[in-house]
C-alpha cells in the first residue's frame, strides 16, 4: 500500500513538472502549429497558388514566420510583459520568450496555434596521439589524398563555447600545408561570420567557415557577463575549452607543435585536418541554456553544415512523458531529417548505470575511453629506493640529490588555522624562506584538494614562489584507496604525485628516519635526499582502450522516472581521457592552465569530436550517405577487443571489469574499417516517428505536439523494431520477433550469420546465409526467446561475416522479465 501511494505522489509531481501552468521559470520555448522552413521547402506547391517552393522562396517564408510570431504575441500579450528572444524558423516553427508572470504563460498555453510549450533548462559542458592510436594516418588519410585533404568539402558545426581564431590549429592552410590560403572545396555551406570582441572579420579564414554566438537565453536568466563571457564567437573559456579544444580534435590542422609550459609534447592533428569548422557559441563559463542551443542548431542546419558536434547535454533527464520528446531532441531529429549527422557526448556520470544524458536513437552518443599513452614520473631517494608517480613536470637539475623537508617542518608553528592547510601547500605565507629554499617539499594530498588539478597547480605555484627545488605530494592515509585523477596539468617546476599509499608511507619512513629533531620535536637537520626525474615523456603500452570511469553508462531511459528504453546507448566509444588539443590562452574557466595554447582534458566531451572527425572522413568518401548509414558504419565496424586481442575492460568505482554494450555501445571506433563497412542499417524520418509512437507512456497527442505529425493508424510497431545497428529489448516476456533490413554498399557478397546468445535468451536468425548484390537490401528476421528469467540485462551479438572480408557486428542487449508467454 505504501509503495502504491509513493508511486502516485511521484506521478503527480511528474505531471506538475510537465504542466507549464505550474512552472514559474521565466524563459520558455513555444512551438507553433505551422510548418518551419525545412518542411515548407519539402512540400509541393499549394494547389490554389501558382508557386514553386524553391530555395529562393525560403528566406521570404522565414521572414514571414518571424513576423507572424511578433503579430501573434502582440495580439495576445500586453506590451512590456514579455520579450521575444528568438524566432525558430528552419527546423522548428516557434520562439523563445522571456515572460514576467505565470498569467502570461497561461495565456500562451491556451492560445490557438500553439502546439507545445517547453521550459528552458540549463545545459552542461559535458591531440598528439589519438590519430595514430585509431590508425587514421595509415588506414584512412592515404585513401583520401593525404592528411591535409582528408575531410575536404565537409563542414563540421561545433555547438559549444566558441573558438580562438589565432590558434595555429585553425590557421588557413593550403592543401600542401603552406600558409597561403586554405584550399576550400565548394560546399553548400552559407553561414556568416559575426564579428565582436576578440573576433575580427578576418577570423573566418576558410578553415573557420563561419562563426556566430547565441546568448539571449543566458542574458535573460542573468548568468551572462559580457566582460567575462565575450559577446562574440571568441572562446574565453577554453572548453571550445570545448569548441576550441573539441574543434581542434575534430578538424585541427595537421602536425601542429604542442607546446605547454615551455615543453614540446609532440605534434597535434585533428581527425579530419582538411575539414572546415563552423562555430556556434551557445555555452559559456557557467554552461548554457537550451533556448540558446536550439537557436544555434537551427542556424547551423540552415547554414548547411554536414555534421553537428555537441559536447554538452542537459544536466538531468528532461521532464515530460518521454526524454525523446524534449525540444532539443526534436530539433536534432529534424536536423537528422535534413541530412545532418548529430554527434553528442554521452555524459560524464559514470560508472553509474542509466547515467546517459544523450537519449534518442537519431543521435550518435559517444562514450569515452582511456588510450595506451601514459605519463609516468619517478623519484629516486638517497638510499637507492625509487618510486613511480605522476606529474607532467620537469626534472630537478642534473643528477644532484636535494634535501627533503616536510611542509609542516619548514612552516611557522602558528601559521595556519589547521595542520591540513599547511600540509596541502596551498599558500605561501606559512613557509619560512630560509628553511624551504632549495629543498624538495613533501605536501599531502588531502580532502582540501576540492579540484585536484587546480589544487596541484597551486602547490606548484607555491613551491615556485617560496624558492623550493620541487615538491612531492603524498597520499593522506585517511583517504584510503582514493586515486588522484587531476594530474594532467602541465607544470613548470619539478614535482611528483605518489598516488600509491605504499609509496607514500615508504617515503615518509625514509624521511622520518633521516630527519634530526630537537627535544621539542622541531626539525633541525634534513638529511633525507632525492631527485625527481622528467615526467613529460609519454609511454605507450600498445594496449587499451579501456572505458573511462566517468563515461556515462546505459541502459538508456524513456523518461525522468528512469524507465529503461529499447535503445542502445551509448552508440560508440572514442578516446576521451587526457586528450591534447588546442586551448584558449585567455581561458578563465581553468586558471591553472591559463595562458597555455594546449591542454590535456578528459571527458566524453573530448571523445565526441573524435567521432565527428571520423564521420567527416566517411562523409567525404561517401557524400550521399545518410546520418543513420554513417552511424551504422561506425557501429558495425567498431572493436570489442583491445590491442592485445583481449575483451575491452571498463573502469568502475574501484576495479576493472569486462565491458558491456552499456559501457561502450557497439565498441571502440575503428576508422579504417568504418569507411568500408560492407552492410549498413538505414533509418528514415518516418521510422523515427513510428518509434516515438511505440514508446511506453507516449500517446498520439504527445507525438503530435512534439513533432507536428501524429501516429499512423496502422498496426503499432515496437521500439525494438527500429532499424538500427543494435538490438535492445528492455523487457522480454516469452518471445519477440525483431526485423532488421541491411543494405549492401559494396560489391556483391555472400554473408554467413553467427550469433552469441545473451544469457537466458535463445536467438534464431533467418536467413543464416545469404547473397546480396551491390546496393540491394535484405531483411533479417531475428527471434528472441526467453529461456530463463534473468531479471537483469545480458548481452550477446549477431555477427555477419562476408566472403569479401567484411565483418558486421550487431550488439544485442536483453532484459528477460519472464520466460512465460503472456
Amino acid at each position: 500500500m505504501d509503495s502504491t501511494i509513493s508511486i502516485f505522489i511521484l506521478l503527480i509531481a511528474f505531471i506538475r513538472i510537465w504542466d507549464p501552468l505550474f512552472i514559474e521559470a521565466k524563459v520558455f520555448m513555444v512551438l507553433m502549429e505551422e510548418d518551419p522552413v525545412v518542411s515548407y521547402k519539402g512540400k509541393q506547391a499549394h494547389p490554389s497558388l501558382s508557386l514553386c517552393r524553391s530555395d529562393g522562396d525560403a528566406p521570404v517564408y522565414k521572414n514571414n514566420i518571424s513576423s507572424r510570431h511578433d503579430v501573434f504575441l502582440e495580439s495576445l500579450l500586453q506590451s512590456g510583459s514579455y520579450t521575444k528572444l528568438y524566432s525558430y524558423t528552419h527546423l522548428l516553427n516557434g520562439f523563445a520568450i522571456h515572460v514576467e508572470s505565470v498569467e502570461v504563460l497561461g495565456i500562451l498555453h491556451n492560445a490557438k496555434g500553439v502546439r507545445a510549450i517547453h521550459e528552458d533548462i540549463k545545459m552542461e559542458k559535458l591531440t598528439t596521439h589519438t590519430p595514430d592510436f585509431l590508425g587514421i594516418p595509415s588506414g584512412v588519410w592515404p585513401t583520401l589524398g593525404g592528411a591535409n585533404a582528408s575531410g575536404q568539402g565537409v563542414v563540421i558545426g561545433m555547438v559549444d563555447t566558441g573558438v580562438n581564431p589565432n590558434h595555429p590549429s585553425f590557421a588557413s592552410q593550403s592543401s600542401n600545408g603552406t600558409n597561403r590560403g586554405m584550399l576550400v572545396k565548394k560546399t553548400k555551406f552559407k553561414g556568416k561570420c559575426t564579428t565582436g570582441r576578440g573576433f575580427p572579420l578576418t577570423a573566418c579564414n576558410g578553415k573557420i567557415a563561419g562563426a556566430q554566438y547565441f546568448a539571449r537565453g543566458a542574458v535573460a536568466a542573468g548568468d551572462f557577463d559580457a566582460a567575462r563571457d565575450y559577446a562574440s564567437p571568441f572562446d574565453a573559456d577554453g572548453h571550445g575549452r570545448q569548441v576550441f579544444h573539441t574543434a581542434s580534435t575534430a578538424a585541427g590542422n595537421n602536425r601542429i607543435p604542442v607546446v605547454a609550459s615551455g615543453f614540446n609534447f609532440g605534434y597535434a592533428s585533428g581527425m579530419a585536418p582538411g575539414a572546415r569548422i563552423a562555430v556556434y557559441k551557445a555555452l559559456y563559463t557557467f554552461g548554457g541554456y537550451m533556448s540558446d542551443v536550439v537557436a544555434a542548431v537551427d542556424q547551423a542546419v540552415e547554414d548547411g553544415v554536414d555534421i553537428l558536434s555537441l559536447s554538452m547535454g542537459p544536466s538531468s533527464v528532461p521532464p515530460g512523458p518521454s526524454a525523446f520528446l524534449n525540444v532539443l531532441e526534436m530539433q536534432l531529429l529534424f536536423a537528422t531529417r535534413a541530412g545532418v549527422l548529430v554527434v553528442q557526448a554521452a555524459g560524464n556520470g559514470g560508472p553509474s548505470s542509466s547515467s546517459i544524458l544523450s537519449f534518442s536513437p537519431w543521435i550518435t552518443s559517444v562514450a569515452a575511453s582511456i588510450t595506451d599513452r601514459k605519463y609516468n614520473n619517478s623519484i629516486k631517494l638517497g638510499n637507492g629506493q625509487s618510486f613511480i608517480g605522476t606529474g607532467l613536470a620537469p626534472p630537478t637539475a642534473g643528477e644532484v640529490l636535494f634535501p627533503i623537508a616536510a611542509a609542516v617542518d619548514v612552516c611557522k608553528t602558528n601559521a595556519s588555522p589547521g595542520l591540513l592547510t599547511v600540509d596541502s601547500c596551498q599558500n605561501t605565507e606559512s613557509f619560512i624562506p630560509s628553511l624551504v629554499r632549495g629543498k624538495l617539499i613533501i605536501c599531502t594530498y588531502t580532502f582540501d584538494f576540492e579540484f585536484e588539478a587546480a589544487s596541484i597547480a597551486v602547490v606548484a605555484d607555491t613551491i615556485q614562489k617560496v624558492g623550493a627545488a620541487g615538491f612531492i605530494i603524498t597520499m593522506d592515509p585517511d583517504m584510503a584507496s582514493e586515486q588522484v585523477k587531476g594530474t594532467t596539468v602541465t607544470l613548470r617546476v619539478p614535482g611528483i604525485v605518489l598516488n600509491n599509499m605504499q609509496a607514500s608511507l615508504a617515503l615518509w619512513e625514509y624521511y622520518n628516519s633521516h630527519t634530526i629533531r630537537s627535544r621539542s620535536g622541531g626539525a633541525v637537520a634534513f638529511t633525507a635526499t632525492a631527485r625527481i626525474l622528467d615526467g613529460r615523456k609519454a609511454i605507450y603500452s600498445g594496449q587499451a582502450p579501456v572505458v573511462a570511469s566517468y563515461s556515462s553508462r546505459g541502459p538508456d531511459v524513456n523518461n525522468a522516472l528512469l524507465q529503461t528504453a529499447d535503445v542502445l546507448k551509448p552508440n560508440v566509444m572514442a578516446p576521451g581521457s587526457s586528450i591534447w588539443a588546442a586551448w584558449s590562452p585567455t581561458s578563465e574557466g581553468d586558471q591553472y592552465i591559463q595562458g597555455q595554447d594546449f591542454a590535456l582534458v578528459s571527458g566524453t566531451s573530448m571523445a565526441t569530436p573524435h567521432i565527428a572527425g571520423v564521420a567527416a572522413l566517411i562523409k567525404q568518401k561517401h557524400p550521399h550517405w545518410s546520418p543513420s548509414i554513417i552511424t551504422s558504419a561506425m557501429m558495425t565496424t567498431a572493436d570489442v577487443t583491445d590491442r592485445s586481442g583481449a575483451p575491452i575492460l571498463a573502469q568502475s568505482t574501484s576495479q576493472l571489469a569486462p565491458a558491456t554494450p552499456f559501457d561502450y555501445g557497439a565498441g571502440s571506433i575503428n576508422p579504417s574499417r568504418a569507411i568500408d563497412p560492407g552492410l549498413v542499417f538505414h533509418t528514415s524520418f518516418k521510422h523515427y516517428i513510428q518509434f516515438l509512437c511505440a514508446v511506453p507512456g507516449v500517446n498520439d497527442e504527445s507525438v503530435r505536439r512534439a513533432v507536428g505529425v501524429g501516429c499512423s493508424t496502422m498496426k503499432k510497431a515496437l521500439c525494438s523494431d527500429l532499424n538500427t545497428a543494435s538490438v535492445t529489448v528492455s523487457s522480454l516476456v516469452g518471445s519477440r520477433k525483431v526485423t532488421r533490413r541491411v543494405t549492401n554498399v559494396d560489391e556483391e557478397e555472400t554473408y554467413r550469420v553467427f550469433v552469441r546468445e545473451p544469457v537466458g535468451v535463445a536467438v534464431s536468425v533467418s536467413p543464416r546465409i545469404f547473397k546480396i548484390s551491390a546496393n540491394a537490401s535484405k531483411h533479417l528476421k531475428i527471434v528472441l526467446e526467453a529461456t530463463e528469467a534473468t531479471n537483469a540485462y545480458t548481452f550477446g551479438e549477431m555477427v555477419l561475416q562476408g566472403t569479401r572480408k567484411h565483418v558486421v557486428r550487431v550488439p544485442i542487449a536483453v532484459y528477460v522479465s519472464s520466460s512465460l508467454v503472456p
Side-chain angles (χ1 to χ4, degrees):
M1 185 68 178
D2 290 342
S3 61
T4 303
I5 295 173
S6 298
I7 292 172
F8 178 76
I9 293 172
L10 183 60
L11 287 172
I12 292 297
F14 184 67
I15 293 170
R16 289 179 64 88
I17 290 172
W18 175 243
D19 189 342
L21 293 177
F22 288 103
I23 301 172
E24 296 184 5
K26 292 188 177 181
V27 176
F28 296 87
M29 292 163 285
V30 181
L31 302 185
M32 306 299 287
E33 295 282 2
E34 294 181 321
D35 285 339
V37 171
V38 71
S39 297
Y40 170 86
K41 288 169 64 177
K43 289 186 175 181
Q44 298 297 319
H46 193 281
S48 63
L49 298 175
S50 57
L51 172 67
C52 176
R53 295 183 173 180
S54 65
D55 284 348
D57 299 316
V60 176
Y61 187 68
K62 171 186 171 75
N63 291 333
N64 285 341
I65 292 176
S66 184
S67 297
R68 285 199 291 271
H69 292 164
D70 294 334
V71 171
F72 171 80
L73 290 169
E74 290 167 1
S75 67
L76 281 177
L77 305 177
Q78 184 177 352
S79 177
S81 66
Y82 71 93
T83 302
K84 189 186 80 169
L85 305 180
Y86 295 106
S87 274
Y88 305 131
T89 60
H90 193 75
L91 297 176
L92 297 172
N93 184 336
F95 52 84
I97 185 172
H98 180 213
V99 302
E100 300 296 333
S101 67
V102 175
E103 287 74 21
V104 169
L105 193 61
I107 294 172
L108 286 174
H109 183 68
N110 295 311
K112 184 178 180 181
V114 171
R115 198 172 81 219
I117 298 178
H118 296 263
E119 179 187 2
D120 200 9
I121 64 174
K122 197 78 176 279
M123 306 292 285
E124 290 185 347
K125 294 171 287 190
L126 296 180
T127 119
T128 54
H129 176 53
T130 46
D132 288 316
F133 179 73
L134 296 176
I136 290 175
S138 60
V140 182
W141 289 346
T143 68
L144 299 175
N148 292 318
S150 294
Q152 273 189 9
V154 179
V155 177
I156 303 175
M158 311 293 296
V159 181
D160 218 307
T161 60
V163 68
N164 183 340
N166 303 314
H167 199 281
S169 289
F170 309 112
S172 177
Q173 292 191 346
S174 67
S175 60
N176 63 6
T178 59
N179 293 321
R180 297 177 183 171
M182 183 174 180
L183 182 63
V184 178
K185 185 177 177 181
K186 187 176 181 181
T187 70
K188 65 182 184 299
F189 183 78
K190 56 183 185 300
K192 66 180 181 179
C193 190
T194 302
T195 60
R197 181 184 171 197
F199 210 88
L201 186 60
T202 55
C204 293
N205 57 4
K207 181 66 177 180
I208 300 175
Q212 300 174 58
Y213 75 98
F214 303 83
R216 296 173 191 171
V219 170
D223 283 341
F224 185 87
D225 181 348
R228 175 195 64 195
D229 297 310
Y230 284 62
S232 81
F234 184 82
D235 171 36
D237 185 26
H239 186 266
R241 205 173 61 173
Q242 287 178 126
V243 166
F244 195 45
H245 194 282
T246 56
S248 68
T249 303
N253 290 327
N254 186 40
R255 284 192 62 79
I256 302 301
V258 176
V259 179
S261 296
F263 184 80
N264 189 336
F265 285 87
Y267 294 88
S269 173
M271 303 298 107
R276 297 192 291 159
I277 62 168
V279 177
Y280 300 88
K281 180 179 175 180
L283 295 182
Y284 300 85
T285 53
F286 52 84
Y289 286 88
M290 188 177 285
S291 58
D292 293 327
V293 173
V294 169
V297 171
D298 201 58
Q299 189 63 58
V301 177
E302 181 180 351
D303 289 346
V305 302
D306 299 291
I307 296 163
L308 269 174
S309 180
L310 287 77
S311 288
M312 47 78 179
S315 55
S316 60
V317 182
S322 172
F324 309 125
L325 295 177
N326 84 74
V327 66
L328 179 58
E329 303 292 308
M330 289 299 97
Q331 182 84 321
L332 298 178
L333 172 60
F334 283 104
T336 302
R337 184 189 190 186
V340 178
L341 173 70
V342 180
V343 183
Q344 186 179 31
N348 296 330
S352 300
S353 62
S354 289
S355 51
I356 286 287
L357 291 174
S358 176
F359 313 103
S360 298
W362 48 86
I363 298 169
T364 304
S365 307
V366 186
S369 70
I370 63 174
T371 70
D372 67 338
R373 181 184 61 200
K374 293 182 179 180
Y375 289 97
N376 287 336
N377 203 348
S378 60
I379 183 172
K380 291 189 175 182
L381 306 184
N383 64 358
Q385 286 184 290
S386 294
F387 300 113
I388 300 295
T390 57
L392 288 164
T396 49
E399 296 187 4
V400 179
L401 295 174
F402 292 82
I404 302 174
V408 70
D409 287 332
V410 290
C411 285
K412 303 167 188 175
T413 55
N414 59 349
S416 69
L419 186 61
L420 288 180
T421 304
V422 172
D423 275 1
S424 60
C425 301
Q426 296 292 289
N427 63 76
T428 59
E429 292 79 8
S430 305
F431 289 98
I432 302 170
S434 61
L435 292 181
V436 72
R437 192 171 293 115
K439 294 184 177 68
L440 295 176
I441 306 303
I442 302 178
C443 307
T444 303
Y445 181 91
T446 72
F447 287 110
D448 287 355
F449 283 37
E450 183 177 358
F451 301 103
E452 293 174 347
S455 297
I456 292 169
V458 171
V459 171
D461 185 58
T462 299
I463 294 303
Q464 187 173 34
K465 286 179 178 177
V466 299
F471 65 88
I472 308 161
I473 296 180
T474 60
M475 297 294 290
D476 186 335
D478 290 339
M479 298 190 71
S481 60
E482 185 77 15
Q483 288 291 305
V484 182
K485 304 181 185 72
T487 53
T488 55
V489 55
T490 57
L491 304 170
R492 291 184 178 272
V493 299
I496 185 170
V497 179
L498 298 178
N499 53 6
N500 174 289
M501 192 60 66
Q502 185 177 358
S504 296
L505 293 175
L507 175 74
W508 276 107
E509 181 180 351
Y510 169 65
Y511 172 72
N512 288 328
S513 66
H514 287 73
T515 300
I516 301 172
R517 299 183 181 276
S518 65
R519 289 184 177 181
S520 61
V524 295
F526 304 94
T527 63
T529 58
R531 66 185 182 97
I532 296 173
L533 277 62
D534 197 335
R536 301 168 299 183
K537 302 296 180 65
I539 299 171
Y540 302 95
S541 68
Q543 294 183 333
V546 173
V547 183
S549 60
Y550 56 79
S551 186
S552 284
R553 310 299 215 264
D556 194 13
V557 296
N558 284 323
N559 48 46
L561 296 178
L562 301 185
Q563 295 173 330
T564 55
D566 287 352
V567 178
L568 180 66
K569 290 293 173 179
N571 294 96
V572 70
M573 182 173 71
S577 292
S578 300
I579 304 300
W580 277 116
W583 192 263
S584 177
T586 61
S587 171
E588 296 181 7
D590 295 278
Q591 294 185 4
Y592 60 89
I593 43 179
Q594 195 167 11
Q596 302 291 344
D597 287 322
F598 287 89
L600 276 174
V601 185
S602 298
T604 53
S605 292
M606 277 60 254
T608 302
H610 284 87
I611 298 300
V614 171
L617 301 176
I618 298 172
K619 185 72 174 178
Q620 180 189 10
K621 188 171 179 64
H622 307 285
H624 301 299
W625 280 10
S626 69
S628 64
I629 289 178
I630 295 175
T631 299
S632 167
M634 292 189 289
M635 290 180 65
T636 59
T637 58
D639 294 325
V640 294
T641 58
D642 66 16
R643 298 305 169 87
S644 68
I648 290 176
L649 299 176
Q651 292 180 336
S652 59
T653 303
S654 58
Q655 61 184 0
L656 291 175
T660 75
F662 287 164
D663 300 319
Y664 55 46
S668 180
I669 186 72
N670 186 323
S672 60
R673 290 184 56 207
I675 62 174
D676 180 25
L679 301 177
V680 296
F681 296 79
H682 172 62
T683 313
S684 67
F685 180 75
K686 70 176 183 179
H687 297 135
Y688 291 128
I689 300 302
Q690 292 171 357
F691 165 84
L692 289 173
C693 293
V695 173
V698 173
N699 55 29
D700 179 83
E701 182 58 28
S702 297
V703 174
R704 189 177 298 276
R705 283 200 307 265
V707 188
V709 296
C711 300
S712 170
T713 56
M714 297 174 61
K715 182 181 177 181
K716 202 171 184 180
L718 296 173
C719 290
S720 55
D721 291 326
L722 187 65
N723 196 49
T724 59
S726 61
V727 175
T728 303
V729 177
S730 59
S731 180
L732 178 62
V733 178
S735 65
R736 182 178 300 190
K737 296 179 182 178
V738 176
T739 301
R740 289 293 183 269
R741 183 172 181 262
V742 295
T743 300
N744 186 10
V745 292
D746 204 332
E747 299 178 14
E748 183 177 272
E749 192 166 2
T750 298
Y751 283 88
R752 182 183 297 270
V753 181
F754 298 89
V755 175
R756 180 171 61 83
E757 297 176 331
V759 174
V761 184
V763 181
S764 62
V765 180
S766 177
R768 295 298 291 254
I769 301 175
F770 61 91
K771 180 184 289 187
I772 184 167
S773 302
N775 301 314
S777 297
K778 174 75 70 173
H779 283 89
L780 300 177
K781 296 180 181 179
I782 307 166
V783 178
L784 307 172
E785 185 173 354
T787 57
E788 63 175 295
T790 59
N791 291 316
Y793 275 100
T794 59
F795 306 95
E797 61 185 12
M798 176 178 69
V799 180
L800 288 67
Q801 292 187 352
T803 51
R804 293 175 51 83
K805 307 302 182 183
H806 290 111
V807 177
V808 180
R809 190 182 307 277
V810 179
I812 301 173
V814 182
Y815 188 109
V816 181
S817 300
S818 172
S819 60
L820 299 176
V821 177

